[in-house]
Amino acid sequence: MTQGKRRYTEQEKADIVDRLCMLVADGNTLTAACKEVGVSRLTVYAWRQQDASITKRLDIAWDQCLEVMADEVIEIIDKTHPGQIVTVEAGKNGKPTKTTTKISDMIEHRKLRAWGRLQLLSRISTRFANRHALTTPTDEPRPGTSSNDYTDAQLLHVIQHGTLPGEESMPNLEDMTHEPDHDSAP
């Protein structure tokens, strides 16, 4: 037996849309907001088609969500993110012989998180495509980084164009997060 569609009063609908707009404006996806409120996305889409004022309110909330996402990019870039890097060395028989752990800022992880959000922002809204353009004073790798790391200028090019300089397609994410080879002797 299938359930009938739930009918909402105009007041219930207005209250639900108010809560949805607050949740989306705070940075939640529409899916997460719908789950929190207890209404399906399909219902919300139907309401949008029936009522232009609901569409306008949710669009304004979405614009505020994009601002939240832009703020997150700045926070990701500015705030260090310490994490554990575990290296396991294998002996001649292939079994682990030595494990080292070090705590370090997860710079590559931060770059990837910021890059992903900037890509999403630039694709969703043209007003973010160039607004958050970054400049870099040098094309040289930062001191203390591996030669496998991308330069700031290369990352800037990826953020702005979606590709590394001279490439026609998206870079492989494994290449973007490549860790230096720990098997080679110093």
Side-chain angles (χ1 to χ4, degrees):
M1 183 169 125
T2 61
Q3 280 186 310
K5 289 185 178 182
R6 163 88 159 88
R7 301 275 184 214
Y8 296 93
T9 67
E10 288 302 313
Q11 185 58 50
E12 288 174 325
K13 188 190 296 188
D15 291 344
I16 289 170
V17 170
D18 286 345
R19 288 188 59 212
L20 287 172
C21 288
M22 278 191 339
L23 290 166
V24 169
D26 282 342
N28 291 285
T29 64
L30 183 59
T31 301
C34 286
K35 217 177 260 188
E36 171 93 14
V37 173
V39 65
S40 76
R41 283 177 62 105
L42 291 176
T43 299
V44 174
Y45 288 135
W47 290 350
R48 287 178 68 119
Q49 289 178 336
Q50 297 164 3
D51 187 339
S53 69
I54 292 175
T55 299
K56 184 174 181 165
R57 290 183 63 209
L58 285 168
D59 286 348
I60 290 169
W62 179 246
D63 284 345
Q64 292 169 339
C65 180
L66 295 177
E67 292 289 341
V68 169
M69 196 181 298
D71 289 345
E72 285 176 354
V73 170
I74 294 167
E75 186 176 323
I76 290 166
I77 292 168
D78 287 347
K79 186 177 178 183
T80 59
H81 183 84
Q84 233 179 17
I85 299 174
V86 178
T87 306
V88 178
E89 294 179 21
K92 291 180 182 176
N93 60 1
K95 293 185 179 181
T97 58
K98 180 181 175 186
T99 302
T100 56
T101 303
K102 91 176 181 183
I103 304 295
S104 180
D105 183 11
M106 306 301 284
I107 293 172
E108 297 303 315
H109 178 70
R110 287 174 39 209
K111 285 182 195 176
L112 188 59
R113 288 180 63 212
W115 173 81
R117 281 167 175 78
L118 286 170
Q119 284 293 305
L120 180 62
L121 284 168
S122 67
R123 294 199 194 307
I124 290 173
S125 176
T126 55
R127 70 187 179 133
F128 284 97
N130 293 316
R131 179 171 161 198
H132 294 285
L134 306 174
T135 58
T136 180
T138 178
D139 196 25
E140 298 299 315
R142 291 175 313 284
T145 62
S146 149
S147 60
N148 293 326
D149 286 342
Y150 288 92
T151 65
D152 290 340
Q154 288 171 314
L155 289 171
L156 173 64
H157 193 275
V158 169
I159 289 166
Q160 292 176 334
H161 305 287
T163 63
L164 284 168
E167 290 186 352
E168 293 184 23
S169 63
M170 256 321 264
N172 183 334
L173 289 181
E174 289 178 7
D175 292 341
M176 291 287 295
T177 58
H178 179 71
E179 291 291 324
D181 187 5
H182 294 289
D183 292 336
S184 59

